[in-house]
Amino acid sequence: MIVRLVLSLSLSVLFSGETAFVACADVAGSLTIAGNGPELTAIEPLARAFEKANPRAYLDILWDADSKPAELVKSGQAQIAVAGTATPELLAMPIAWDGIGMLVHLSNFTKEVTKQQVADIFSGKITLWSEVGGPETKILVIDRPRNQNIRDAFESQLGIAGKVTGAAKLIGSDEQAVKTVVGTLPPLSAITYLSLSQGLSVVSAGVPVRLLPVDKIEPEGPTVKDGRYPLRRPILLLSKKEPHPLAEAFTQFALSPTGQQLIAETYIPIKER
């Protein structure tokens, strides 16, 4: 199902006294932003704030889990696509970082994994937790759908594109993936990957799960931002190479102090604030 959101100019966004709206008198017209992943939670308030700063601009958000946002930009149905990997034919502007968290049950006493071990787990080369210092239980691999940005980045960084074990269980939503990790019997066995912001959120909420360190680095905002944590992906705005004033204005807004402050509520800003 396509969720089409026409953002209202009457909606307001609160900011601290240190930030202000970035407005341009000549910014006007309509802009369509397409996406299919969890980035909607950051893009929607960003678009609302842009409209408030530029009252003559109208933003449409097309968010469909089964869509191909980059293709919508190529065909002219959208001017900006939100993605986690670049497309050769389009300009790619990074606006944030997202860590990729490795989620297991809280009772799983595996201390940590290496990046190579993660690749071996998801490709089926490692099938027991005891092979990585954990319990004597089989590993249940929970994979994510092909249409989600995070899966492309995950497979690409690990060099396992097209090599995920056929024994993996495919689960779409983060919520259901977390529930499966919590409810799998024995509870030590399941592992999945998800946006770090979502992973940290469920851990802080007291859900009985934990995030594994990778290559001895804890999955945290600062370690993702400076590149020490090895599993991360950029949040990219893709647009055509031909200039489009409104698309350029929105991209600059996303990179402004106001935009980066909004993005920081969900993801890791790419610029110092």
Side-chain angles (χ1 to χ4, degrees):
M1 178 184 295
I2 294 179
V3 179
R4 186 178 184 88
L5 300 171
V6 180
L7 302 178
S8 170
L9 294 176
S10 64
L11 293 171
S12 63
V13 180
L14 296 178
F15 297 92
S16 71
E18 297 179 356
T19 59
F21 290 117
V22 178
C24 299
D26 58 348
V27 174
S30 297
L31 179 75
T32 298
I33 303 172
N36 63 7
E39 302 87 358
L40 179 61
T41 55
I43 295 300
E44 185 179 358
L46 196 63
R48 291 173 178 167
F50 180 81
E51 281 192 325
K52 187 172 180 67
N54 302 281
R56 294 168 59 207
Y58 301 89
L59 272 60
D60 242 352
I61 294 184
L62 294 177
W63 219 263
D64 178 6
D66 297 318
S67 71
K68 296 181 178 179
E71 296 301 319
L72 294 175
V73 171
K74 292 179 188 178
S75 67
Q77 298 177 67
Q79 289 72 53
I80 290 178
V82 182
T85 54
T87 300
E89 303 94 318
L90 301 175
L91 290 174
M93 178 60 70
I95 62 170
W97 287 110
D98 180 24
I100 302 175
M102 306 308 306
L103 194 80
V104 298
H105 196 278
L106 183 62
S107 60
N108 187 329
F109 56 81
T110 304
K111 290 183 178 181
E112 60 189 16
V113 287
T114 66
K115 187 176 178 180
Q116 184 59 54
Q117 286 172 336
V118 174
D120 290 345
I121 288 171
F122 277 82
S123 61
K125 294 179 181 178
I126 292 177
T127 59
L128 296 171
W129 279 112
S130 58
E131 296 179 67
V132 291
E136 290 286 345
T137 56
K138 289 184 178 180
I139 299 173
L140 172 63
V141 172
I142 300 173
D143 199 14
R144 314 310 300 277
R146 170 61 59 191
N147 59 9
Q148 290 193 1
N149 294 335
I150 194 170
R151 175 169 169 172
D152 288 339
F154 180 73
E155 290 186 355
S156 175
Q157 290 183 30
L158 295 176
I160 59 171
K163 299 178 182 178
V164 173
T165 174
K169 186 173 184 177
L170 193 67
I171 295 181
S173 73
D174 285 346
E175 180 182 6
Q176 191 57 44
V178 172
K179 286 182 178 179
T180 303
V181 171
V182 171
T184 298
L185 296 175
L188 301 169
S189 64
I191 184 171
T192 193
Y193 59 95
L194 74 174
S195 171
L196 181 58
S197 61
Q198 180 66 16
L200 292 172
S201 176
V202 296
V203 169
S204 64
V207 178
V209 292
R210 56 186 286 256
L211 294 165
L212 290 175
V214 179
D215 289 344
K216 300 186 182 299
I217 303 298
E218 292 287 343
E220 300 170 334
T223 62
V224 170
K225 187 166 187 175
D226 64 21
R228 283 178 293 151
Y229 181 73
L231 294 177
R232 67 174 186 171
R233 70 184 182 106
I235 307 298
L236 302 172
L237 299 184
L238 307 181
S239 59
K240 286 186 176 181
K241 294 181 179 180
E242 297 79 13
H244 187 287
L246 199 51
E248 291 176 353
F250 180 78
T251 299
Q252 291 305 311
F253 183 81
L255 292 170
S256 72
T258 296
Q260 291 287 286
Q261 179 178 330
L262 279 169
I263 287 170
E265 295 178 9
T266 309
Y267 294 108
I268 300 156
I270 206 156
K271 289 188 172 184
E272 295 293 339
R273 293 182 291 136

